[in-house]
Amino acid sequence: EDQVTQSPEALRLQEGESSSLNCSYTVSGLRGLFWYRQDPGKGPEFLFTLYSAGEEKEKERLKATLTKKESFLHITAPKPEDSATYLCAVLYNAGNMLTFGGGTRLMVKP
Amino acid sequence: NAGVTQTPKFQVLKTGQSMTLQCAQDMNHEYMSWYRQDPGMGLRLIHYSVGAGITDQGEVPNGYNVSRSTTEDFPLRLLSAAPSQTSVYFCASTGQGFYGYTFGSGTRLTVV
């Protein structure tokens, strides 16, 4: 069965404590892996798209990487304003719409 | 501002009532979709469209109808609301390159 699984479900960090969020996928014909940030009461906000294994993208304190089985979102020296739910999603085979994982809720304490 | 606009932001319905959730985008995107987000279930695809006049079902289509008469608009109709349809609904759109889907701010629907 095609699946997208994110771990952990929740992560508490101290400000400045770097960590990584995981998104593993079991789909065939991956065409793109997407990372989104979602704040409470708002819609998902696009962060990155990764298209092939080995690709990396960075934005401020965030860095996304992709292998053939999973993607990591590395957060370096996080700040309280990085607190949010981070979602990953995949586009695969001939499909045109995203399949989402369950998300990781990140809480960064000052 | 360019983007995806959803209305209303909040709605309370009684069981059996019908309503339409509106979604409009001004980016000339071909692809539009509706998701619902429930605690512990993540975002699940309801219906989608690959262009004006073309729609298809997603993972959880029962109880919902869509149509796409223009590129800009993609309304979602609840035919006879049920408590199981209590959720937050998001509309999203993207262009041919699938570089990144743009989401609206959501409609929080409660069915009592």
Side-chain angles (χ1 to χ4, degrees), chain A residues 31 34 36 38 41-44 46 49 51 87 91 96-98 100-101, chain B residues 31-33 35 37 43 45 48-50 90 98-101 103-105:
Chain A
R31 293 163 54 206
F34 300 74
Y36 283 85
Q38 186 175 25
K42 297 191 176 181
F46 173 73
T49 307
Y51 294 101
L87 303 168
L91 186 68
N96 296 305
M97 298 300 141
L98 300 176
F100 281 85
Chain B
Y31 300 97
M32 296 187 74
S33 54
Y35 290 86
Q37 187 172 38
L43 280 153
L45 182 65
Y48 65 96
S49 169
V50 299
F90 289 102
F98 299 98
Y99 297 120
Y101 289 70
F103 280 79
S105 57

Side-chain angles (χ1 to χ4, degrees), chain B residues 35-98:
Chain B
Y35 290 86
R36 60 178 288 173
Q37 187 172 38
D38 303 292
M41 301 291 289
L43 280 153
R44 293 180 293 169
L45 182 65
I46 305 171
H47 283 286
Y48 65 96
S49 169
V50 299
I54 306 170
T55 63
D56 207 344
Q57 296 181 351
E59 180 184 357
V60 288
N62 292 340
Y64 307 95
N65 270 359
V66 291
S67 61
R68 183 106 179 263
S69 57
T70 68
T71 300
E72 294 79 17
D73 300 299
F74 190 43
L76 178 72
R77 297 182 188 83
L78 279 70
L79 309 173
S80 178
S84 61
Q85 293 178 305
T86 293
S87 187
V88 181
Y89 292 85
F90 289 102
C91 179
S93 73
T94 190
Q96 282 278 355
F98 299 98

